Amino acid sequence: CMLVSEHGSSHDETLQSRMRSLTRLLLAKEHGGAGLESLRFAGAATSDMSLVAKGIAEIHWEIGLHAWDIAAASVIVTESGGAVFDGAGWWGLDMAEGEREPRPLNIWNRSIVSVRYIPDLPGQPGSGRELQRQLAKELLTHVEDIPCTPDGLH
């Protein structure tokens, strides 16, 4: 699975949280990680999300970006059959397993997960959407909730 993301411009404690999250995503499953095969930084959220929309990358996760960074690209991903979710992670949070479900994207919260189109399995309508949700859930289980001031509240 290939993840695309960005480093961001914050060089404070959020950088350390991002690095810990990326480390867990790349760590092999037998060592408690997500076992991602590849991580790419394309240079901008719109570029990353375009790779997801084209099916070149499976998933995009980013924290700290602004609404204007993802508004148009979110439409492109969903129009390609992909899915977008809120990107606030669950690592280290005391949450019941039943509460750990990907939430719809709130464009003002400055976090996103986008997942490429996955076709339905033969005879199983809706199975592609369920696989997208499961992929987002797996990612969010390994990343931290990195707080950012929502856009519009500065």
Side-chain angles (χ1 to χ4, degrees), residues 1-63:
C1 183
M2 181 169 64
L3 169 76
V4 287
S5 189
E6 292 306 322
H7 172 287
S9 59
S10 296
H11 296 274
D12 53 14
E13 59 276 351
T14 61
L15 174 61
Q16 294 173 5
S17 295
R18 285 179 208 212
M19 295 309 295
R20 287 190 303 266
S21 294
L22 290 171
T23 298
R24 279 189 297 277
L25 289 169
L26 292 168
L27 197 63
K29 288 187 177 196
E30 59 266 18
H31 298 292
L36 289 177
E37 297 171 359
S38 183
L39 171 64
R40 299 278 195 271
F41 296 96
T46 302
S47 299
D48 295 336
M49 293 174 73
S50 294
L51 293 173
V52 169
K54 291 177 75 174
I56 295 169
E58 283 79 17
I59 196 163
H60 165 253
W61 168 72
E62 193 166 346
I63 298 290

Side-chain angles (χ1 to χ4, degrees), residues 81-82 115-121 127-129 131-133 135:
V115 182
R116 71 169 176 82
Y117 167 72
I118 300 175
D120 288 339
L121 299 171
S127 59
R129 287 284 180 204
L131 290 169
Q132 289 171 323
R133 190 194 62 73
L135 192 55

Side-chain angles (χ1 to χ4, degrees), residues 104-149:
L105 175 66
N106 178 340
I107 201 164
W108 306 110
N109 281 348
R110 302 182 60 196
S111 64
I112 189 169
V113 173
S114 55
V115 182
R116 71 169 176 82
Y117 167 72
I118 300 175
D120 288 339
L121 299 171
Q124 298 180 31
S127 59
R129 287 284 180 204
E130 178 59 22
L131 290 169
Q132 289 171 323
R133 190 194 62 73
Q134 289 175 10
L135 192 55
K137 183 175 181 175
E138 175 73 14
L139 181 136
L140 292 169
T141 299
H142 290 89
V143 300
E144 297 175 27
D145 180 13
I146 304 169
C148 296
T149 303

